[in-house]
C-alpha cells in the first residue's frame, strides 16, 4: 500500500511504520507486514521526528535511511538505500583525495629539491672560490649580488693592502 509510482532511486525502499515501529506497508514485498524495525533504527528514529542515519533495514542489511514522523499519528515514513554503494563511493572519494594529496606532496618535494639544488650549487662555488668562482651570469639574483659584493670587498681589500704596503715602504 505504499505507492510504488512515486519517483525514487531504483534501489530505494519506502516503508510506513506505526507508532510502535511495526511495518504497515512497503514498496517491496520482501518483509511481511507487522515486522518490527531493527533495534538500532527504532532507537534512532524515536529520538527525533525526522532525520537521516545509517542503520539496519528490516532484512538485516546495512542502509542509509531518511525518515519523517507524522505529528498526529506517530507513524513514520522511511526511505532507505543500500549502504554498500554509498560506502564504496565514499571510500573511493577518500582514496582519490589521499592519492591526490600524496602526489601533490611528492611533486612539491621534487620541485623544492630542484630549487634547492639551483640555489645550493652556486652557493657552494661561491663559498669554495669566492667571487671569482662564479660565472658572469648567475640565475639567482641574490647569489649574483653576494658574488658582486664579495668581488667589491676583495677589490677594496686589495687596494687597502696595497696602500698599507706603500706606506710601510715609505717608512723604511
Amino acid at each position: 500500500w505504499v505507492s510504488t509510482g512515486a519517483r525514487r532511486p531504483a534501489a530505494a525502499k519506502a516503508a510506513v511504520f506505526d507508532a510502535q515501529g511495526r511495518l504497515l506497508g512497503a514498496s517491496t514485498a520482501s518483509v511481511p507486514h507487522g515486522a518490527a524495525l531493527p533495534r538500532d533504527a527504532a532507537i534512532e528514529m524515536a529520538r527525533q521526528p525526522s532525520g537521516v542515519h545509517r542503520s539496519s533495514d528490516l532484512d538485516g542489511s546495512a542502509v542509509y535511511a531518511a525518515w519523517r514522523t507524522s505529528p498526529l499519528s506517530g507513524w513514520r515514513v522511511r526511505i532507505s538505500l543500500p549502504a554498500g554503494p554509498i560506502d564504496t563511493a565514499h571510500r573511493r572519494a577518500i582514496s582519490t583525495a589521499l592519492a591526490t594529496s600524496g602526489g601533490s606532496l611528492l611533486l612539491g618535494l621534487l620541485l623544492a629539491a630542484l630549487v634547492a639544488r639551483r640555489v645550493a650549487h652556486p652557493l657552494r662555488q661561491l663559498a669554495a672560490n669566492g667571487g671569482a668562482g662564479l660565472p658572469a651570469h648567475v640565475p639567482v639574483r641574490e647569489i649574483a649580488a653576494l658574488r658582486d659584493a664579495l668581488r667589491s670587498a676583495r677589490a677594496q681589500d686589495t687596494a687597502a693592502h696595497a696602500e698599507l704596503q706603500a706606506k710601510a715602504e715609505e717608512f723604511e
Side-chain angles (χ1 to χ4, degrees):
W1 61 247
V2 173
S3 171
T4 55
R7 287 183 33 175
R8 59 184 168 80
K13 296 177 188 174
V16 177
F17 298 90
D18 66 11
Q20 288 73 41
R22 291 185 305 257
L23 179 65
L24 297 174
S27 61
T28 61
S30 61
V31 179
H33 295 302
L37 267 170
R39 183 167 162 62
D40 62 335
I43 290 170
E44 185 68 29
M45 291 171 71
R47 287 188 187 145
Q48 50 192 352
S50 63
V52 177
H53 64 180
R54 185 179 198 280
S55 68
S56 301
D57 203 6
L58 293 169
D59 61 4
S61 62
V63 295
Y64 284 97
W67 78 92
R68 176 82 180 162
T69 304
S70 168
L72 295 175
S73 65
W75 287 13
R76 298 179 184 103
V77 175
R78 182 178 193 231
I79 308 294
S80 61
L81 284 168
I86 296 169
D87 292 343
T88 299
H90 186 247
R91 279 191 297 277
R92 188 177 304 124
I94 289 173
S95 298
T96 300
L98 288 174
T100 301
S101 61
S104 297
L105 177 64
L106 288 175
L107 180 63
L109 289 173
L110 175 66
L111 291 174
L114 291 173
V115 168
R117 189 174 182 189
R118 183 175 176 181
V119 170
H121 181 68
L123 279 176
R124 262 191 244 110
Q125 285 181 324
L126 194 59
N129 304 323
L134 289 177
H137 174 70
V138 177
V140 181
R141 255 189 330 227
E142 291 80 4
I143 295 174
L146 182 58
R147 177 206 55 209
D148 296 343
L150 284 173
R151 285 180 179 170
S152 175
R154 182 169 301 246
Q156 288 174 357
D157 185 44
T158 303
H161 181 53
E163 188 178 323
L164 285 174
Q165 187 67 32
K167 283 188 182 182
E169 288 174 5
E170 193 179 298
F171 286 122
E172 287 179 6

